[in-house]
Amino acid sequence: MVLVACGGLVLYGALSPGGEEKEKREVPTASVTYEVTGTGTADITYQARSESGRATVVKAATLPWRTTVPVPLGRTPVVSIVLGEKGGQARCAVAVRGRHLQSATASGGFGRATCTGSLPDPGPSPDPADAAPAG
């Protein structure tokens, strides 16, 4: 009976997910808010949480438009706007963790504006073995 129980535990350990798989490393992020104000529509391109660095594109977004996304530390938060043929005026803005960093204005037919900020590099991951004991 004990042998069956031990065999079951060994089998459970061999089949349970994550038994010997490497733990996926989480990339630290910062909360970034992109905002585009104005009237009409604009094509908006912005950086979000993407390990590959690919931007997210929103075609003909109705203004005003706003989104808050996590951006990996070390990446550059950026939002770009392009107005349509009819033009108009729109303003982009970027804020990191609620702190305004930059804004810019686009106007006229196919007017463009880009707003960027900077995030610190994540630095080396701390080794839990090096952590000081609580006390």
Side-chain angles (χ1 to χ4, degrees):
M1 181 72 144
V2 173
L3 185 58
V4 172
C6 288
L9 289 174
V10 168
L11 185 58
Y12 176 77
L15 297 178
S16 66
E20 292 201 21
E21 292 179 19
K22 287 187 176 180
E23 205 174 293
K24 188 172 182 178
R25 188 173 158 200
E26 282 291 316
V27 176
T29 62
S31 177
V32 175
T33 300
Y34 301 116
E35 185 171 27
V36 180
T37 56
T39 57
T41 62
D43 291 344
I44 302 169
T45 305
Y46 65 94
Q47 175 70 45
R49 183 181 181 101
S50 170
E51 299 300 321
S52 67
R54 282 197 213 176
T56 301
V57 178
V58 181
K59 291 284 192 183
T62 301
L63 303 182
W65 176 93
R66 178 185 178 123
T67 189
T68 300
V69 295
V71 175
L73 295 183
R75 295 255 185 226
T76 300
V78 61
V79 60
S80 298
I81 55 176
V82 179
L83 301 176
E85 183 178 347
K86 293 181 181 178
Q89 187 167 340
R91 182 176 194 84
C92 65
V94 62
V96 174
R97 295 180 178 138
R99 196 183 89 210
H100 174 77
L101 295 180
Q102 187 180 43
S103 61
T105 302
S107 60
F110 301 106
R112 297 172 181 265
T114 300
C115 296
T116 63
S118 63
L119 297 176
D121 285 328
S125 296
D127 186 351
D130 293 337

